Amino acid sequence: MSQELHAHSQLSFMSGGGEMGALIRAHNWHATPLGHPETWPQPLKTSLRLLLSTGHPMFIWWGEELTQFYNDAYRRSIGPERHPSALGQSGQACWAEIWPIIEPQITKVLAGKGHTWNENQLVPITRNGKREDVYWTYSYGPIDDPQSSTGVGGVLVVCSETTEQVLAEQTMKAAEARWRSLFDQTPSFMCVLQGPEHRFEYANRNYLKVLGIHDILGKTVAEVVPEVVAQGFIALLDGVYQSGQSHHGVAAPLYLGSSLIYLDFIYQPILTAEGEVSGIFVEGNDVTERVLASKSLQEEHRRKDEFLAMLAHELRNPLAPIRNVSEMLTQSAQQEPKLQHLGSLLARQVTHLTHLMDDLLDISRISQDRITLQLETLSISKIVNMALESLQCAIALKKHKVKLIDSVQPIFVNGDMTRLVQCLTNVLNNAVKYTPNDGEITIQIATNADMTDITVTDNGCGISPDMQSKVFELFIQAKQTLDRSQGGLGIGLNIVQRLVQMHGGNVTVSSEGLGCGSCFCISLPTVNAPQQVKKQPDNYQNITRRILVVDDNKDSADTMSELLKYQGHSVATVYTAQHALDVIDDFAAEIILLDIGLPDMNGYEVARHILSKNKKLVLVALTGYGQAEDVRKAKEVGFDFHFTKPVNFADLSRVFSTSFSSEGP
């Protein structure tokens, strides 16, 4: 009994250790170089006791044969190919496939040259039926033995398999490399800022290119580009970080040194799993070229508008005396019929030139969305009648028959009277021009669901199939003969389409081909009839006025004066602003027809001087400047009326016929 207890105490270093402890105790150690466990060196017994008492993976090589021991924790890493056969086996026989990797490390330790340390080291082994890339963090440490020639009897391996961790890190790094590569390839600039101080964690190539700086990681935005502080960008970043709300910047100017660039960008807060802001993702584009191109385009548009306005002014001025002469010729009952005919011819040609100028100005304003519609409830019949009235002379000249098929009930639309009459006049004018003499033109008004259709049909030259899809395009015209007898700039129908669309409608064209006539249909949304309001009678009186004409264009001033005198008015004519101010008191004018573009003082200043002394005078701007801005300025100064040259004398006559109260018109 005592011998058994003694033997048990001698082998107590093998106690415990789970499965591997049992296998070690049951192993036939007599068949190994180590012999019976009772005879093992004390350092081996101590190390083995440590191995069996820990839950950490451990392995022992002992002696010249590198006899092997390992615990349960280590067993889980080696697979059935080596367990349990590795127990008591020679190290080289067991680990032949990785011997070139581990042998130098084992030799170093056994030679008494210290320990080894390897972190996340790839040591591929065969296990579970296949060769696997296995990563380890391990240390080979000496087990001291005074009996050994080197003082080291074995090697204690303390290890952890880190395959999962390493593969996860590799996957993460690969993913990071992919998105970094992707971010570097993207045309926009990007960076990631961390913390409330906005430190650079990442910046792609384009971001570095924008800044012209490369050493920025770990630094704050304020440190890298201090000039952005005064420009408000740090305040924007602070706002996003504190509020958690993104910020979008569009064409934002940024001064970097002496350079000015423009950026489109977004500051997007980065949230933690708890919903807290941890940083800001910045993404954007350098849009300097776009902004400068836009500014250049705007400047070109401005210059074009100035040119068109000046062109119109310069063309209207010589047209004014021609219009005046045509009015005198047509109104003279004593003149010969031939002179009457010449007056009508002049009037038609002046009207045609005026329409061409108006079209040029309109297409410019419409293209820039600078047309404002004066909307009101309008009768379709009235729109049609006004358009027909404006074309009576042209229709009569070509001896066309016009048939109007009106609706049974009155139809109303919401629109701008001037613009809708302009649209219909343009369409009707084309029908008149492109229909041979003695042609037939039909105008039909009809409702279609919630739309009203105004259809203009003619039996004129027609439109080829390939042109029907293009007639509303800018500067598109059907093929012209060399004499261009029909004229036109190719912009009228484009204006019609745009204006109709601004009214919520559409315009279409159809034709069976050349020589088969054409059909244009303007469709507009129908509205309810307006409430009937009792119409006040027009307070016109056929009376004469005392009128002062002020215009530096002598022909225009003189012909207007002659026309007014022919109507029975008392007229004084001057050609400069100063002369107008000198004679105004002596002449006692009631109405002043005042040009704006006077050489010595512009018409606005003249008007201010006049109104400062006599607010009862009626001021009429009669000028070549006819854009909306010109009308607005005239009203602001105090003009009662604004007419663009060449003026329709009938419109001017209505001003003269209006009764004026003591306070003015």
Side-chain angles (χ1 to χ4, degrees):
M1 183 69 175
S2 61
Q3 289 181 343
E4 289 180 4
L5 289 173
H6 177 72
H8 179 74
S9 64
Q10 289 291 316
L11 298 178
S12 60
F13 67 88
M14 288 186 176
S15 62
E19 178 190 353
M20 286 310 302
L23 289 175
I24 290 172
R25 290 189 294 272
H27 192 74
N28 181 16
W29 295 107
H30 294 284
T32 71
L34 292 179
H36 194 278
E38 292 180 3
T39 64
W40 292 354
Q42 187 58 43
L44 174 58
K45 293 179 179 179
T46 302
S47 298
L48 189 58
R49 184 74 201 126
L50 175 65
L51 179 144
L52 294 176
S53 302
T54 183
H56 195 88
M58 285 189 179
F59 190 95
I60 293 175
W61 281 302
W62 185 264
E64 293 181 0
E65 294 295 324
L66 299 177
T67 304
Q68 300 181 145
F69 300 86
Y70 57 94
N71 61 7
D72 281 353
Y74 187 89
R75 171 186 58 79
R76 290 189 285 270
S77 297
I78 59 175
E81 287 81 1
R82 291 185 173 84
H83 174 72
S85 60
L87 180 62
Q89 190 177 14
S90 165
Q92 184 173 2
C94 178
W95 298 107
E97 64 178 343
I98 60 171
W99 197 246
I101 298 174
I102 64 175
E103 187 274 335
Q105 301 176 61
I106 296 171
T107 299
K108 174 185 175 180
V109 174
L110 290 175
K113 296 180 180 180
H115 70 283
T116 67
W117 170 256
N118 292 276
E119 190 170 354
N120 297 326
Q121 175 70 41
L122 174 61
V123 184
I125 62 173
T126 300
R127 65 181 182 184
N128 302 314
K130 60 181 179 180
R131 186 173 175 82
E132 298 182 14
D133 284 345
V134 185
Y135 292 85
W136 309 83
T137 292
Y138 63 93
S139 173
Y140 289 178
I143 302 175
D144 294 336
D145 181 8
Q147 303 299 321
S148 172
S149 60
T150 62
V152 177
V155 178
L156 176 64
V157 180
V158 180
C159 62
S160 295
E161 183 181 348
T162 58
T163 304
E164 263 187 48
Q165 173 190 336
V166 171
L167 293 181
E169 288 177 356
Q170 288 178 350
T171 301
M172 187 169 61
K173 287 180 179 178
E176 181 179 347
R178 281 196 298 272
W179 68 253
R180 283 180 182 270
S181 174
L182 177 64
F183 284 3
D184 279 339
Q185 294 176 49
T186 186
S188 59
F189 61 76
M190 297 179 180
C191 77
V192 176
L193 306 175
Q194 284 296 340
E197 294 181 340
H198 317 305
R199 292 188 180 277
F200 285 103
E201 181 183 47
Y202 167 77
N204 73 349
R205 293 174 185 170
N206 283 332
Y207 192 93
L208 301 175
K209 182 179 178 182
V210 168
L211 295 186
I213 305 171
H214 293 278
D215 183 21
I216 69 173
L217 298 186
K219 299 178 181 178
T220 67
V221 175
E223 291 171 339
V224 173
V225 275
E227 55 264 50
V228 304
V229 178
Q231 298 177 57
F233 288 94
I234 299 299
L236 287 176
L237 288 169
D238 290 341
V240 172
Y241 193 89
Q242 293 163 11
S243 68
Q245 300 295 316
S246 62
H247 174 82
H248 297 253
V250 178
L254 171 63
Y255 290 90
L256 293 174
S258 60
S259 300
L260 170 62
I261 61 175
Y262 295 87
L263 305 175
D264 284 352
F265 66 91
I266 180 172
Y267 290 162
Q268 181 65 40
I270 301 171
L271 304 180
T272 64
E274 293 75 28
E276 299 293 327
V277 178
S278 64
I280 297 174
F281 175 70
V282 180
E283 189 272 337
N285 290 279
D286 183 343
V287 294
T288 304
E289 288 188 9
R290 186 193 76 194
V291 172
L292 294 181
S294 176
K295 288 179 179 291
S296 176
L297 190 60
Q298 290 173 5
E299 178 64 17
E300 288 181 11
H301 280 309
R302 186 189 66 78
R303 291 176 183 173
K304 180 192 67 178
D305 289 345
E306 288 181 354
F307 169 76
L308 289 176
M310 186 56 64
L311 176 65
H313 175 266
E314 294 302 314
L315 290 175
R316 290 182 196 280
N317 276 331
L319 287 176
I322 299 174
R323 167 64 69 84
N324 296 337
V325 170
S326 73
E327 288 286 349
M328 286 190 285
L329 289 173
T330 55
Q331 291 185 24
S332 176
Q334 290 77 30
Q335 298 293 347
E336 299 177 7
K338 185 175 182 179
L339 293 179
Q340 293 268 353
H341 172 71
L342 289 174
S344 297
L345 185 150
L346 283 174
R348 286 196 304 274
Q349 295 305 316
V350 169
T351 300
H352 180 61
L353 282 172
T354 303
H355 284 162
L356 290 178
M357 287 187 296
D358 290 341
D359 281 351
L360 278 172
L361 293 174
D362 277 347
I363 197 63
S364 175
R365 289 194 289 261
I366 292 172
S367 297
Q368 299 174 61
D369 293 327
R370 289 169 54 188
I371 290 286
T372 301
L373 300 179
Q374 306 298 322
L375 298 176
E376 57 182 323
T377 303
L378 304 173
S379 164
I380 286 290
S381 296
K382 186 175 181 180
I383 295 170
V384 173
N385 288 330
M386 290 182 68
L388 281 172
E389 180 182 342
S390 69
L391 293 170
Q392 280 304 312
C393 291
I395 293 171
L397 185 65
K398 297 195 71 173
K399 301 177 183 179
H400 291 323
K401 295 178 183 178
V402 178
K403 181 180 181 182
L404 174 59
I405 305 175
D406 206 343
S407 60
V408 177
Q409 298 295 329
I411 300 175
F412 298 88
V413 296
N414 188 39
D416 183 314
M417 175 65 82
T418 301
R419 294 302 180 181
L420 289 181
V421 170
Q422 176 186 357
C423 291
L424 187 55
T425 300
N426 207 316
V427 172
L428 279 171
N429 189 48
N430 281 347
V432 171
K433 285 197 303 182
Y434 296 108
T435 299
N437 289 359
D438 298 309
E440 295 181 358
I441 299 173
T442 301
I443 306 170
Q444 183 171 4
I445 303 172
T447 56
N448 178 17
D450 57 350
M451 302 292 285
T452 295
D453 296 337
I454 309 172
T455 306
V456 178
T457 307
D458 62 61
N459 62 346
C461 63
I463 305 172
S464 63
D466 62 310
M467 281 298 300
Q468 291 181 38
S469 61
K470 302 177 182 177
V471 292
F472 296 109
E473 295 179 16
L474 200 57
F475 306 124
I476 292 294
Q477 290 181 297
K479 191 173 183 180
Q480 297 280 349
T481 57
L482 289 177
D483 63 6
R484 287 189 53 83
S485 59
Q486 306 304 334
L489 300 174
I491 62 179
L493 288 177
N494 183 266
I495 292 175
V496 170
Q497 184 184 57
R498 295 190 185 204
L499 288 175
V500 169
Q501 288 174 346
M502 288 175 67
H503 283 79
N506 62 79
V507 56
T508 58
V509 61
S510 61
S511 174
E512 294 185 7
L514 296 176
C516 299
S518 59
C519 176
F520 284 82
C521 180
I522 296 175
S523 297
L524 298 166
T526 307
V527 299
N528 295 327
Q531 293 183 350
Q532 295 295 324
V533 179
K534 186 176 180 181
K535 185 177 180 182
Q536 299 296 326
D538 292 331
N539 195 13
Y540 291 149
Q541 298 179 10
N542 187 19
I543 57 177
T544 59
R545 299 290 184 186
R546 295 183 65 78
I547 303 171
L548 175 63
V549 177
V550 186
D551 195 332
D552 64 314
N553 185 313
K554 193 172 185 300
D555 288 342
S556 180
D558 291 345
T559 53
M560 176 57 73
S561 298
E562 289 298 320
L563 182 56
L564 293 173
K565 289 175 183 177
Y566 186 82
Q567 294 288 323
H569 302 291
S570 297
V571 183
T573 308
V574 296
Y575 309 114
T576 67
Q578 189 58 53
H579 196 186
L581 296 175
D582 291 341
V583 305
I584 191 168
D585 292 332
D586 295 337
F587 181 65
E590 298 174 273
I591 301 171
I592 300 177
L593 303 184
L594 181 57
D595 186 26
I596 299 298
L598 297 170
D600 51 339
M601 183 188 301
N602 69 53
Y604 302 127
E605 296 176 20
V606 175
R608 291 190 185 97
H609 281 287
I610 293 173
L611 292 174
S612 68
K613 297 179 179 180
N614 187 350
K615 296 186 180 299
K616 296 181 181 179
L617 287 173
V618 176
L619 296 185
V620 179
L622 197 59
T623 174
Y625 297 110
Q627 299 198 64
E629 179 65 12
D630 302 315
V631 178
R632 184 191 64 78
K633 288 171 66 175
K635 294 293 183 183
E636 283 183 355
V637 169
F639 280 93
D640 300 287
F641 301 95
H642 183 285
F643 292 107
T644 304
K645 296 178 182 178
V647 65
N648 186 328
F649 196 76
D651 294 334
L652 206 53
S653 295
R654 279 192 284 272
V655 173
F656 303 152
S657 301
T658 302
S659 295
F660 303 143
S661 69
S662 59
E663 297 300 323

